[in-house]
């Protein structure tokens, strides 16, 4: 028993070394591919054969630890791996001869299948050391029974079983249990690394999500690198774009200077191949500075639309080594940053779309409004030059605000000044037919809103609501912050009104459809949805002969949110 224990200890050391193999680790998490399972058969067959060669010869037989490889293979990877291991190890034992050769070959196959069936039975639960101990003990006594059943002469087989049954069943079952304990420790180590990596990634993510709103810039890269440096234990953190260093924090910053062209061959290789790289030496990093303190690095590409737009790099110096946690951390951060760059690109596209819609809105408004305004001013020049001068000032103010605030966020007060410049000219055109009333709750005028939000609604109220009415009417502009914290803007008129919904094909006639579903209302609605999303937007209620009410709702905290989007 002592001799067998010594030999089994060698196999346990081999088991520990086996836990360093990637394919073996994959099997622990039920993720092994067919190719990896084939590799597992080869590895465990080798362990079983080693156990045979390290056995103790006794009466033309061998007291050995061959069972450890077959049983552990079945417990970890299932019946097919157990069967494959048993076949190879059993065939090898049969080739060595002896009166127990057939019995030992058959028992090895049976032991591998038995362990595989236990794997099937325990598939959804952890495989503990106690199960390994029990399966190993049962497997060894099954082997003793097969020897008694197949080995001849029977008297010699019985004498052999009496001598080896207790040492083999005790030592080998304990060896299997120790093997399973080592595996359990490896799994716990993997889980601990994963949990620590996830924790650090989430910490960095929580601090850096806002940095990349404008994409990968020197400013955002510097903030990101400093936060990663603060959260991790590395010697330096660097971020590049496709051509230059955007940020470098930590050791090596004297010669890895932001703004310089990329100098390391490892970075150029990652940009070219678009795959993560582990550089374990200064030579692999490829820095041209002879006194550079950086000795190892993990480099991961930052992807945008399947293109590498930059590289994130974590460095260590000669005093530390990059750990498995660092490897998983930078992998996770690379994915996180790439996702943020994708979102920033989408947000930029949404802003460009909104700006394009504003330009289209201006292209529709300006020519018609300018033509009417100039005609009105011409009519005042001869008889009321001061009024003409006043209208020219309003016209200039109107176009100045159009050009200056295109696509930006403005305060409600500024938007109302823009609307008033428009209304001043319209009042001059239609005199007493047009009346305007402002009902602005104190404090609401300081809230930020998208520019050109109210002007299209006011223009619709004047052109399509009041002017078709012989006696004209009143436009009321209201603003208030309601109890839910949302900003509510209302443009109301007591004009001719209409029936149906301006955004859907339920209007009474085609003329109403054309006039109310034009670019003005559609633009306002689409911009609100683009910026704020559901459930915010514009609601329109109208009744033929009674007038129309347009109500815009913006989210709570609109002031702060609009500032961040504007930046």
């Amino acid at each position: 028993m002592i001799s067998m224990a010594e030999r089994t200890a060698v196999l346990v050391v081999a088991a520990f070394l086996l836990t360093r193999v990637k394919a073996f680790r994959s099997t622990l998490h039920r993720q092994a591919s067919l190719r990896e399972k084939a590799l597992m058969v080869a590895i465990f067959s080798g362990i079983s054969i080693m156990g045979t060669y390290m056995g103790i010869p006794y009466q033309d037989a061998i007291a050995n630890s061959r069972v450890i490889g077959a049983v552990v293979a079945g417990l970890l990877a299932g019946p097919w791996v157990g069967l494959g291991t048993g076949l190879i190890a059993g065939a090898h034992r049969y080739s060595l001869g002896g009166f127990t050769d057939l019995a030992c070959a058959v028992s090895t196959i049976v032991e591998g299948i038995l362990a595989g069936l236990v794997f099937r039975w325990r598939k959804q639960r952890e495989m503990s050391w106690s199960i390994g101990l029990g399966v190993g003990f049962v497997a060894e006594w099954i082997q003793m029974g097969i020897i008694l059943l197949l080995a001849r002469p029977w008297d010699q087989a019985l004498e052999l079983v009496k001598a080896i049954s207790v040492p083999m069943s005790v030592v080998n079952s304990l060896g299997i249990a120790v093997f399973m304990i080592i595996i359990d420790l490896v799994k716990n180590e993997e889980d601990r690394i994963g949990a620590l990596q996830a924790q650090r990634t989430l910490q960095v993510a929580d601090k850096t999500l806002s940095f990349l709103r404008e994409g990968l810039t020197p400013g955002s890269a510097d903030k990101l690198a400093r936060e990663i440096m603060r959260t991790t234990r590395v010697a330096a953190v660097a971020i590049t774009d496709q051509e230059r260093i955007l940020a470098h924090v930590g050791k090596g910053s004297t010669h890895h200077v932001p703004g310089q062209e990329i100098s390391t061959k490892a970075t150029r290789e990652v940009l070219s191949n678009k795959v993560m790289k582990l550089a374990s030496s200064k030579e692999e990093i490829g820095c041209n500075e002879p006194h550079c303190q950086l000795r190892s690095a993990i480099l991961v590409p930052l992807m945008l639309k399947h293109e590498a737009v930059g590289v994130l790099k974590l460095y260590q110096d000669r005093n530390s080594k990059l750990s498995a946690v660092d490897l998983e951390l930078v992998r996770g951060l690379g994915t996180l940053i790439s996702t943020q760059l994708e979102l920033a690109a989408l947000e930029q596209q949404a802003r460009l779309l909104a700006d394009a819609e504003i330009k289209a809105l201006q292209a529709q408004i300006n020519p018609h409004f300018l033509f009417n305004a100039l005609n009105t001013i011409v009519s005042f020049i001869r008889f009321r030059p001061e009024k003409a001068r006043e209208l020219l000032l309003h016209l200039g103010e109107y176009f100045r605000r159009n050009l200056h605030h295109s696509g930006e966020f403005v305060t409600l007060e500024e938007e109302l000044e823009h609307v008033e410049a428009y209304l001043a000219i319209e009042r001059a055109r239609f005199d007493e037919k047009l009346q305007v009333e402002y009902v602005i709750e104190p404090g609401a005028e300081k809230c930020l809103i998208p520019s050109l939000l109210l002007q299209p609604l006011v223009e619709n109220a004047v052109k399509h609501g009041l002017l078709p009415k012989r006696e004209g009417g009143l436009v009321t502009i209201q603003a208030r912050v309601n109890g839910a914290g949302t900003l509510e803007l209302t443009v109301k008129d007591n004009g001719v009104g209409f029936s149906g919904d301006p955004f859907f094909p339920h209007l009474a006639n085609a003329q109403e459809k054309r006039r109310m579903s034009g670019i003005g209302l559609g633009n306002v609605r689409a911009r609100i949805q683009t910026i704020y999303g559901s459930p915010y937007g514009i609601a329109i209620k109208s009744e033929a002969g009674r007038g129309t009410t347009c109500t815009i709702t913006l989210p709570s905290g609109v002031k702060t949110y609009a500032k961040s989007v504007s930046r």
Side-chain angles (χ1 to χ4, degrees):
M1 185 176 292
I2 294 175
S3 298
M4 284 198 64
E6 291 173 347
R7 287 160 172 77
T8 302
V10 176
L11 293 182
V12 170
V13 172
F16 175 77
L17 296 177
L18 185 62
T19 60
R20 305 298 98 186
V21 179
K22 182 180 178 182
F24 184 78
R25 288 176 178 265
S26 297
T27 304
L28 299 184
H29 295 279
R30 308 287 197 270
Q31 295 174 341
S33 65
L34 184 62
R35 180 180 178 182
E36 288 173 332
K37 286 183 178 180
L39 179 61
M40 297 298 288
V41 169
I43 292 174
F44 282 112
S45 297
I47 291 177
S48 290
I49 292 171
M50 183 186 300
T52 299
Y53 280 124
M54 294 178 64
I56 301 171
Y58 184 80
Q59 294 185 0
D60 197 30
I62 304 173
N64 60 76
S65 299
R66 181 176 59 256
V67 66
I68 292 179
V71 169
V72 173
L75 290 176
L76 292 181
W80 290 109
V81 175
L83 173 62
T85 302
L87 283 171
I88 295 174
H92 171 266
R93 172 63 188 89
Y94 183 77
S95 68
L96 297 179
F99 80 101
T100 62
D101 53 359
L102 178 61
C104 290
V106 172
S107 65
T108 305
I109 296 171
V110 172
E111 288 164 343
I113 295 174
L114 171 66
L117 293 176
V118 174
F119 169 89
R120 285 277 180 88
W121 173 59
R122 297 280 299 184
K123 189 170 184 179
Q124 302 302 321
R125 289 170 285 180
E126 291 295 323
M127 197 69 69
S128 65
W129 66 268
S130 59
I131 293 175
L133 180 68
V135 172
F137 195 82
V138 171
E140 282 294 63
W141 282 102
I142 288 176
Q143 179 176 221
M144 298 304 140
I146 293 175
I147 290 175
L148 291 175
L149 184 64
L150 299 181
R152 293 296 181 269
W154 190 86
D155 291 342
Q156 189 176 351
L158 179 61
E159 181 70 20
L160 175 67
V161 168
K162 288 180 179 179
I164 68 172
S165 59
V166 173
M168 285 184 63
S169 60
V170 171
V171 173
N172 288 340
S173 58
L174 286 174
I176 293 171
V178 172
F179 206 124
M180 300 306 292
I181 289 173
I182 291 174
I183 290 169
D184 190 53
L185 291 174
V186 171
K187 292 178 70 175
N188 291 336
E189 178 190 6
E190 292 275 305
D191 293 340
R192 182 184 63 82
I193 290 173
L196 185 56
Q197 180 267 334
Q199 181 186 18
R200 289 188 179 179
T201 302
L202 289 174
Q203 286 177 348
V204 175
D206 183 55
K207 299 289 186 181
T208 61
L209 285 180
S210 62
F211 295 163
L212 297 171
R213 273 192 97 87
E214 299 300 323
L216 194 61
T217 65
S220 64
D222 183 72
K223 293 178 182 178
L224 185 62
R226 292 185 183 280
E227 185 58 37
I228 295 174
M229 184 73 178
R230 190 187 67 80
T231 308
T232 60
R233 298 178 179 179
V234 294
V237 177
I239 300 175
T240 75
D241 59 15
Q242 293 176 316
E243 298 178 353
R244 300 183 180 278
I245 301 172
L246 297 179
H248 187 102
V249 180
K251 293 185 177 180
S253 56
T254 55
H255 58 281
H256 294 286
V257 180
Q260 287 184 347
E261 291 187 1
I262 295 172
S263 58
T264 59
K265 65 179 183 181
T267 304
R268 291 192 291 270
E269 183 179 333
V270 170
L271 285 171
S272 175
N273 298 335
K274 305 175 188 176
V275 294
M276 188 175 73
K277 178 179 176 62
L278 176 61
S280 55
S281 66
K282 181 180 177 182
E283 289 70 27
E284 288 187 52
I285 295 174
C287 179
N288 297 322
E289 173 61 40
H291 302 294
C292 183
Q293 296 177 294
L294 305 177
R295 291 295 184 270
S296 59
I298 303 173
L299 303 89
V300 62
L302 304 179
M303 305 298 294
L304 178 61
K305 296 180 179 179
H306 309 293
E307 291 294 328
V309 296
V311 178
L312 170 65
K313 301 182 282 187
L314 269 63
Y315 290 102
Q316 285 290 19
D317 57 13
R318 60 169 57 91
N319 298 320
S320 303
K321 291 185 178 181
L322 290 164
S323 66
V325 175
D326 295 326
L327 181 63
E328 293 303 317
L329 173 64
V330 75
R331 194 195 307 271
L333 286 175
T335 302
L336 173 71
I337 295 171
S338 297
T339 302
Q340 283 300 113
L341 292 176
E342 293 278 1
L343 292 175
L346 290 175
E347 187 174 309
Q348 178 66 16
Q349 289 177 4
R351 287 199 294 267
L352 291 173
L353 176 61
D355 288 345
E357 290 175 343
I358 291 175
K359 298 298 184 183
L361 178 63
Q362 290 174 320
Q364 184 210 40
I365 293 173
N366 292 346
H368 293 88
F369 178 69
L370 179 60
F371 177 77
N372 293 329
L374 290 177
N375 280 342
T376 301
I377 293 170
V378 167
S379 68
F380 277 96
I381 285 177
R382 181 175 297 179
F383 302 105
R384 298 177 61 185
E386 286 301 318
K387 182 65 175 177
R389 179 178 180 277
E390 179 186 338
L391 292 177
L392 280 172
L393 291 175
H394 282 300
L395 183 63
E397 178 67 12
Y398 173 84
F399 281 104
R400 184 187 69 81
R401 290 183 181 277
N402 256 21
L403 294 172
H404 181 66
H405 295 301
S406 173
E408 296 183 0
F409 284 82
V410 297
T411 63
L412 177 60
E413 183 177 22
E414 292 173 315
E415 180 73 2
L416 290 174
E417 290 175 357
H418 186 216
V419 169
E420 178 56 31
Y422 164 78
L423 288 173
I425 297 172
E426 294 294 76
R427 278 197 296 263
R429 288 178 63 202
F430 302 108
D431 200 17
E432 296 181 357
K433 287 187 67 175
L434 176 58
Q435 300 175 39
V436 182
E437 179 183 13
Y438 294 94
V439 183
I440 309 299
E441 182 183 272
E445 74 278 359
K446 299 302 180 183
C447 288
L448 289 170
I449 65 172
S451 63
L452 284 179
L453 200 65
L454 289 179
Q455 196 273 341
L457 305 186
V458 173
E459 182 178 358
N460 269 335
V462 173
K463 291 170 63 176
H464 303 303
L466 300 184
L467 296 186
K469 194 174 179 180
R470 179 176 297 179
E471 67 274 21
L474 172 68
V475 175
T476 303
I477 302 173
Q478 298 176 322
R480 69 187 183 95
V481 178
N482 62 27
T486 58
L487 177 65
E488 190 174 281
L489 305 173
T490 303
V491 177
K492 180 180 179 181
D493 69 76
N494 60 354
V496 296
F498 62 93
S499 59
D501 189 323
F503 295 119
F504 298 96
H506 307 306
L507 295 177
N509 56 61
Q511 182 180 1
E512 289 175 350
K513 277 189 192 180
R514 285 194 299 270
R515 82 182 189 196
M516 294 305 296
S517 61
I519 193 169
L521 285 178
N523 180 277
V524 171
R525 185 190 192 206
R527 289 173 61 211
I528 293 174
Q529 286 296 305
T530 298
I531 297 172
Y532 302 109
S534 181
Y536 307 104
I538 178 172
I540 300 177
K541 295 181 180 179
S542 186
E543 185 177 349
R546 302 287 300 271
T548 302
T549 301
C550 299
T551 303
I552 293 174
T553 54
L554 303 179
S556 59
V558 62
K559 183 173 181 179
T560 303
Y561 183 80
K563 280 183 177 178
S564 66
V565 174
S566 179
R567 285 198 294 270

